[in-house]
Amino acid sequence: MITLPKEWANSVGLNKNDTVGVQSQPDGSLTLYPKGNVPVPKRCTKAIDATKIKDRSFLNRQLIGAYIAGHTSMLITTEHPIPNAVSGAIANFVQTAIGLEIIEADDTHVLISDLLEHKAIEPKKTVERMRLLIKGMMNDLYEAAYTGNLDGIDDMKLRDTEIDRIHWLISRQCNICQKNLSTTSRMNIPLSELTATLSLTRVMEAVGDHIIIVSKYLRKMMEAEGTFAKVDKETHECSTKAIELFTNSVKSWVEKDMILADKVVKDSDSMIELATRVSKSPVVVDCLSVSPRELILFSTKRIAEYCKAIAETAFNVAMD
């Protein structure tokens, strides 16, 4: 038997001897559900009128926003037959976002629905997947700069897309759980862990974007000159240390290891100081105006800054 405030009971339609659902929360509090059972989150559809949309990227941003916001379905409609640009943007989005499929489609509408079982998501496993992808990208970039063989960076964009997919998924899950606390219980993942994971994947996604940008500049240097001056051994060793630094920064977060996180912070400062000291151009304004050596040194400094940010958040996670 539970005694409840009469005013609240009346406001939700409870009568004497009615069944009330009770669910414990991580902080020790209890959540009450007037109808007895813990409610299943309602499916919600986001309608997007694409009749006047001519910019494919604008539609893509709307779809990503609806996905991250937690809508379970997206209905894209047009007054006239869907143009190729719109259908192409929809197809690309569905292929990129995790868990989505096109359920219905005709000349004037497309219905996208989420089929993913969210309780199967494990934040630490998604973080590990991102780490491996980014580590591989870093290794291939720095090896390309050292050997002069750019074959290893040809598929960088595909790998970066996979990183984006994982980051979107964590962002989406965080939004869904914030809107319905019962979701975190079904997933058996504390909301605090999801929000902490979101902070981490946001930085990791930025690292992936950085590698893509540097790869593009390296490719442009090759196209402009037909070849380029490969980086020296000292610069290559510096970039190799950046890969190790990134690995340790993520490890310190996953394992809640404050000792390792402290080491990463100090090593990041040392790397930034080293790269600045050996660089002939400490400030890079136009990446195409510098040598590959300066470009890679700039990259290692930027990576070190990201690693320091990850390690600092690891302290917060470890103290939770």
Side-chain angles (χ1 to χ4, degrees):
M1 299 290 292
I2 300 178
T3 301
L4 300 170
K6 184 176 181 180
E7 182 178 346
W8 177 80
N10 290 336
S11 69
V12 296
L14 277 177
N15 299 309
K16 185 178 180 180
N17 296 326
D18 281 353
T19 300
V20 177
V22 181
Q23 186 177 60
S24 62
Q25 299 300 326
D27 62 357
S29 63
L30 297 175
T31 301
L32 300 180
Y33 298 95
K35 302 303 180 182
N37 296 324
V38 177
V40 176
K42 295 180 179 179
R43 298 188 67 83
C44 54
T45 300
K46 180 65 176 179
I48 299 175
D49 186 353
T51 301
K52 297 181 180 180
I53 295 179
K54 297 182 179 179
D55 186 346
R56 176 171 175 165
S57 61
F58 179 64
L59 175 60
N60 187 57
R61 283 192 290 269
Q62 288 189 70
L63 292 170
I64 294 172
Y67 174 76
I68 291 176
H71 294 289
T72 51
S73 298
M74 283 149 269
L75 178 63
I76 302 93
T77 61
T78 60
E79 294 179 0
H80 310 291
I82 297 177
N84 291 334
V86 171
S87 60
I90 294 172
N92 181 70
F93 168 70
V94 171
Q95 291 172 5
T96 303
I98 295 176
L100 297 184
E101 293 292 343
I102 296 176
I103 303 301
E104 298 177 10
D106 61 21
D107 288 342
T108 59
H109 92 280
V110 175
L111 178 62
I112 303 171
S113 188
D114 179 18
L115 304 180
L116 183 66
E117 179 59 50
H118 297 292
K119 67 181 181 181
I121 297 170
E122 297 183 36
K124 288 185 178 180
K125 288 186 177 181
T126 61
V127 167
E128 178 63 13
R129 172 64 177 154
M130 289 184 75
R131 184 192 70 79
L132 290 174
L133 286 166
I134 295 170
K135 179 183 177 182
M137 291 171 66
M138 293 173 66
N139 183 72
D140 289 346
L141 169 65
Y142 297 142
E143 281 298 313
Y146 185 55
T147 64
N149 184 357
L150 304 190
D151 291 344
I153 65 175
D154 287 341
D155 67 341
M156 282 290 194
K157 187 60 181 174
L158 289 175
R159 285 184 277 178
D160 186 55
T161 297
E162 182 65 17
I163 292 169
D164 290 341
R165 296 175 75 218
I166 297 171
H167 176 57
W168 294 350
L169 179 62
I170 294 296
S171 301
R172 174 180 173 80
Q173 288 310 109
C174 195
N175 271 322
I176 289 174
C177 290
Q178 286 175 338
K179 294 174 181 177
N180 191 321
L181 291 177
S182 65
T183 304
T184 58
S185 297
R186 285 195 303 276
M187 292 175 60
N188 197 29
I189 300 173
L191 180 57
S192 59
E193 183 178 344
L194 268 179
T195 53
T197 304
L198 177 59
S199 297
L200 172 64
T201 59
R202 185 178 289 118
V203 179
M204 294 177 72
E205 191 263 346
V207 175
D209 288 343
H210 168 77
I211 297 299
I212 288 294
I213 292 172
V214 177
S215 297
K216 287 181 178 178
Y217 277 116
L218 207 61
R219 175 66 69 183
K220 287 181 179 179
M221 289 177 179
M222 173 67 84
E223 293 173 350
E225 303 294 333
T227 184
F228 64 83
K230 294 176 285 188
V231 302
D232 54 49
K233 187 175 181 180
E234 182 183 34
T235 303
H236 183 58
E237 289 176 350
C238 186
S239 63
T240 301
K241 290 179 181 178
I243 299 174
E244 181 182 357
L245 190 64
F246 173 74
T247 298
N248 286 337
S249 68
V250 177
K251 182 179 179 181
S252 72
W253 188 96
V254 171
E255 298 184 359
K256 300 182 180 181
D257 188 336
M258 288 188 292
I259 303 301
L260 181 58
D262 184 58
K263 182 178 185 302
V264 170
V265 170
K266 293 175 181 177
D267 288 348
S268 297
D269 288 336
S270 297
M271 177 167 288
I272 293 171
E273 180 182 349
L274 173 63
T276 302
R277 186 171 65 250
V278 302
S279 172
K280 297 178 181 178
S281 177
V283 179
V284 175
V285 179
D286 179 8
C287 290
L288 284 177
S289 65
V290 300
S291 67
R293 178 179 185 273
E294 298 300 325
L295 180 64
I296 297 303
L297 286 171
F298 165 74
S299 175
T300 56
K301 286 191 291 183
R302 193 75 186 98
I303 293 295
E305 291 169 356
Y306 284 126
C307 292
K308 184 176 180 179
I310 293 173
E312 287 173 344
T313 62
F315 275 96
N316 303 336
V317 174
M319 297 300 293
D320 188 8

